[in-house]
Amino acid sequence: MTPLLKSTPKNTRRFWGIDPPRESFNRWLLERKVIDKGHDPLLPSDCDPVISPSMFREVMNDIPIRLSRIKYKEEARKLLFKYAEAAKKMIDSRNASPESRKVVKWNAEDTMSWLRRDHSASKEDYMDRLEHLRQQCGPHVTAVAKDSVEGICSKIYQLSAEYSRRLRQTHLSLLQDLGVCVPTTVPAGLLLPGAPGLPITPPPPRVELHFENDVACLRFRGEMVKVNRGHFSKLELLYRYSCIDDPRFEKFLSRVWCLLKRYQVMFGNGANEGTGLQGALPVSVFEALNRQFGVSFECFASPLNCFFKQFCSAFPDTDGFFGSRGPFLSFCPVSGSFEANPPFCEELMDSMVTHFEELLDQSSEPLSFIVFVPEWRDPVTPLSIPAYEHEYRSGSQHICKRDEMYYRAVHGTAVLFLQNDAGFSKWGPTPERLAELTAAYRPSSSRTSSLSSPGPAHITPGDKDSVPKSSDRTQSSVMSPGGHDNNNNNNSNNSSSSSSSSSSSSSPRDKVAVM
């Protein structure tokens, strides 16, 4: 089902010799789910507008050809020639106005003539000429491609909505065959076997488990998913402290299989596909955030890459058994210190900031968000962490080799502190705290994975709905993912909302610091 959907953009968008922008489908999923009102946990099915600004923008940026980073003069010369040739070919093959056809053909032929007679130009000369050609031809090329690109974006959305409808019908049929009465108000995301919220659930599917060296292999109906043994142990610990309906672990393997399969399907089976969208901060940075700023909660994570025991993630139906509080845009804390390292999707990051501002305005209790985002601004933030001088953990950390766990960031990272007055007083970014955080971010040849366990069992005063049971406190440590009251797990939003209403009498001035 979904692999077919993922291949459709590649087949459809291979027009005029243009391959789909790398990771564009994954970013489309993220952008659509920000506004999606449909029931499927993965596939968008009720979005307005139908045409995705993210997908439209990315495809348009690669028309008439994809522009790449240039290091040498010969590369710049070839790129200029390819652009002129592609622009001329496109304008000839499309229904363009006589004026557009004239402008593009003249500029393209003039550029080719210049390339044939001038062999002493520098790299900068070629790049200047390319920029001039883009300014002259770009608007005309965009105009003739606009309808086709909008049609592609619309087609992808319609396919997604159709698959979402079929999935829901299949879920309902399977449950009806098993004699399960499903209320019409239950979202499709809660129709998985063993999911919370159903009055009656069928027996979990039988999943087989075996180990191959350091890899746990789970097999279901001839299909296998794999996870590193350390991460498998981590999932066991998270499940023990977060799941309240399965004390004997009878449904554990089936839920792990669903979890792994969901993320595998979302990001695809290609080499390193989607891993950049699920990258995580180094362990040393999380430890510094916990020590210096009281952070004990991740706003964007998954059971596979989380460091702390509590986090928000995209899929509550599969992740909720392992500590997830659901999507962050639906999570409303009134106090506490939080880390946010969102996927690099502009629409998602915009919605995240809006949500932060609303939460800070509504609470007078200590509230702090430390945000890690790519440094895309020009000029850059003076105190950003430079490219290649810091690392991230791979999004495929649960299946990759130890020596592939960390990778150098090819972009700068800005660290932003969004805090209300009380949060600033308690967790303000003092020079001493910032010094330890920046030191923790530096690459180290001695980094170890230590990823089989989430972070410290640190409970901040803001975690009012996260106080551990007395029987759990003695077990909570760096190696334990426990430390919160599972009985309150599903009531966090309600308690947060009531606390927010009682503490919103003042609207403190938010304090923002940039590191």
Side-chain angles (χ1 to χ4, degrees):
M1 182 277 305
T2 306
L4 174 62
L5 180 62
K6 290 176 72 68
S7 69
T8 303
K10 298 179 182 180
N11 296 331
T12 307
R13 293 203 317 232
R14 198 177 289 273
F15 56 91
W16 305 311
I18 301 173
D19 289 330
R22 187 173 181 269
E23 300 285 11
S24 57
F25 185 78
N26 289 328
R27 281 189 291 271
W28 176 81
L29 284 174
L30 293 170
E31 180 259 340
R32 294 277 86 184
K33 294 305 288 186
V34 172
I35 60 173
D36 183 42
K37 298 178 182 178
H39 296 303
D40 193 88
L42 177 60
L43 297 177
S45 59
D46 187 5
C47 299
D48 184 25
V50 169
I51 296 173
S52 161
S54 172
M55 181 174 283
F56 180 84
R57 181 174 61 244
E58 289 200 41
V59 177
M60 276 297 191
N61 285 341
D62 284 357
I63 291 176
I65 64 170
R66 177 174 301 171
L67 299 179
S68 57
R69 293 183 180 180
I70 299 299
K71 293 183 178 180
Y72 307 107
K73 182 179 75 171
E74 282 307 311
E75 291 178 337
R77 178 185 174 87
K78 290 180 181 178
L79 189 65
L80 176 59
F81 178 82
K82 288 181 179 178
Y83 188 95
E85 186 179 49
K88 184 174 181 295
K89 180 180 179 181
M90 179 176 291
I91 210 72
D92 283 339
S93 62
R94 310 299 293 182
N95 186 22
S97 67
E99 180 64 22
S100 292
R101 202 179 300 275
K102 177 180 178 182
V103 169
V104 172
K105 292 182 69 174
W106 186 89
N107 279 279
E109 291 172 357
D110 181 64
T111 297
M112 292 178 180
S113 176
W114 178 79
L115 285 169
R116 283 191 290 268
R117 69 173 182 268
D118 193 333
H119 299 283
S120 61
S122 64
K123 171 190 168 184
E124 288 70 25
D125 293 334
Y126 291 128
M127 298 308 295
D128 289 343
R129 188 85 184 197
L130 176 60
E131 181 60 28
H132 174 75
L133 187 62
R134 291 184 64 195
Q135 291 178 355
Q136 296 297 315
C137 300
H140 303 283
V141 172
T142 298
V144 299
K146 181 175 180 292
D147 290 344
S148 295
V149 175
E150 287 182 343
I152 291 168
C153 296
S154 178
K155 179 64 174 179
I156 296 301
Y157 173 75
Q158 297 300 334
L159 283 171
S160 178
E162 175 62 17
Y163 279 120
S164 175
R165 184 186 64 80
R166 292 183 189 178
L167 277 173
R168 184 172 179 82
Q169 289 180 342
T170 301
H171 282 170
L172 290 171
S173 298
L174 288 173
L175 292 172
Q176 289 172 357
D177 291 343
L178 292 168
V180 177
C181 180
V182 181
T184 57
T185 57
V186 174
L190 296 181
L191 299 183
L192 293 175
L198 290 179
I200 305 174
T201 56
R206 179 175 175 80
V207 175
E208 299 175 355
L209 170 67
H210 72 275
F211 292 93
E212 297 178 359
N213 298 323
D214 291 333
V215 178
C217 304
L218 291 85
R219 182 183 296 275
F220 174 62
R221 292 183 178 176
E223 198 168 357
M224 182 183 294
V225 292
K226 298 180 178 181
V227 62
N228 293 336
R229 186 187 288 261
H231 279 77
F232 184 79
S233 299
K234 170 185 174 180
L235 292 175
E236 284 184 311
L237 291 171
L238 287 170
Y239 191 81
R240 185 181 304 279
Y241 284 96
S242 301
C243 183
I244 62 176
D245 71 335
D246 187 24
R248 297 184 179 181
F249 274 56
E250 295 173 338
K251 304 174 183 177
F252 172 70
L253 290 180
S254 63
R255 289 171 174 173
V256 171
W257 194 92
C258 289
L259 168 73
L260 295 174
K261 194 62 180 176
R262 171 67 60 77
Y263 282 96
Q264 182 189 80
V265 168
M266 179 179 183
F267 291 121
N269 296 318
N272 299 320
E273 185 179 359
T275 58
L277 298 176
Q278 204 181 0
L281 302 178
V283 170
S284 58
V285 174
F286 276 118
E287 292 172 341
L289 289 171
N290 179 259
R291 284 193 305 268
Q292 296 298 325
F293 301 98
V295 173
S296 61
F297 192 105
E298 297 165 73
C299 298
F300 298 90
S302 77
L304 300 173
N305 71 1
C306 66
F307 177 81
F308 296 111
K309 297 152 286 302
Q310 301 179 85
F311 55 91
C312 286
S313 68
F315 308 118
D317 60 323
T318 56
D319 302 356
F321 304 114
F322 303 91
S324 172
R325 297 295 185 90
F328 177 72
L329 296 180
S330 302
F331 182 65
C332 300
V334 296
S335 62
S337 184
F338 302 83
E339 175 269 349
N341 176 29
F344 299 159
C345 167
E346 294 180 27
E347 290 76 13
L348 177 58
M349 289 190 284
D350 285 342
S351 298
M352 173 194 71
V353 172
T354 299
H355 190 52
F356 285 155
E357 291 175 343
E358 292 174 352
L359 295 175
L360 291 167
D361 284 340
Q362 293 169 2
S363 178
S364 59
E365 298 186 39
L367 188 57
S368 171
F369 299 99
I370 304 178
V371 186
F372 295 78
V373 292
E375 182 54 273
W376 288 338
R377 287 172 290 189
D378 187 14
V380 299
T381 303
L383 296 178
S384 66
I385 304 174
Y388 300 103
E389 295 184 16
H390 62 294
E391 296 177 323
Y392 282 88
R393 281 185 291 153
S394 171
S396 60
Q397 59 183 262
H398 59 290
I399 54 175
C400 71
K401 299 178 181 178
R402 285 180 177 271
D403 57 358
E404 298 173 350
M405 189 71 69
Y406 289 91
Y407 62 90
R408 294 288 178 97
V410 298
H411 56 77
T413 296
V415 185
L416 311 176
F417 288 76
L418 306 179
Q419 301 169 325
N420 58 11
D421 285 336
F424 183 79
S425 298
K426 188 170 185 177
W427 300 299
T430 64
E432 295 78 15
R433 288 171 171 170
L434 294 181
E436 178 171 341
L437 184 58
T438 54
Y441 227 145
R442 295 192 187 104
S444 172
S445 58
S446 61
R447 285 213 200 275
T448 56
S449 60
S450 13
L451 298 175
S452 61
S453 58
H458 178 77
I459 302 299
T460 68
D463 297 330
K464 293 186 173 181
D465 60 330
S466 307
V467 179
K469 303 174 185 177
S470 59
S471 60
D472 291 344
R473 288 189 183 119
T474 57
Q475 304 177 45
S476 298
S477 65
V478 174
M479 299 301 294
S480 165
H484 63 275
D485 189 345
N486 298 311
N487 292 319
N488 291 332
N489 192 29
N490 295 328
N491 300 324
S492 60
N493 288 352
N494 295 334
S495 62
S496 298
S497 300
S498 61
S499 300
S500 175
S501 61
S502 63
S503 62
S504 60
S505 56
S506 61
S507 179
R509 176 175 57 86
D510 300 342
K511 295 186 180 296
V512 181
V514 182
M515 187 179 79

